[in-house]
Amino acid sequence: MPARKPGPSVKDPEMYEALRDDGASKEKAARISNAAANTSRRSVGAKGGRSGDYDDWTKQDLMKRAREIGIEGRSSMSKAELITALRNH
């Protein structure tokens, strides 16, 4: 089987493939690997954790965030389903 190539827009293919192997979506893997290539892997690892746990958000806030990032089918999702969709996006 030939090696997968993420495409020219991915700036750190090694990190991209590692994230994909860990189960990240193509979009999420590209976003993280490009951020690491623009700064450093250490600074990207230090980011995050500022918005609190999704479990503490209201359903209305979860719906707003899902709309912002374009999660399909969000209007019929329960709070738990929204949390799962946001975490896996």
Side-chain angles (χ1 to χ4, degrees):
M1 176 181 240
R4 297 181 292 187
K5 294 197 178 194
S9 64
V10 174
K11 296 177 179 80
D12 188 342
E14 181 181 323
M15 179 179 261
Y16 174 86
E17 290 302 329
L19 291 164
R20 290 289 291 146
D21 291 343
D22 287 341
S25 69
K26 290 179 182 179
E27 181 182 343
K28 184 175 184 177
R31 189 171 53 242
I32 293 170
S33 64
N34 287 345
N38 288 335
T39 57
S40 71
R41 289 183 179 191
R42 178 176 293 206
S43 69
V44 170
K47 287 182 180 181
R50 296 184 194 122
S51 64
D53 191 15
Y54 282 139
D55 293 320
D56 298 334
W57 290 28
T58 65
K59 184 174 178 183
Q60 183 178 4
D61 290 337
L62 294 169
M63 291 287 285
K64 181 179 177 187
R65 180 65 182 141
R67 182 173 42 256
E68 288 171 357
I69 60 176
I71 294 177
E72 305 240 348
R74 62 187 175 270
S75 62
S76 62
M77 290 183 183
S78 67
K79 181 176 179 177
E81 290 169 328
L82 284 166
I83 291 170
T84 301
L86 288 166
R87 286 181 178 155
N88 293 327
H89 178 62

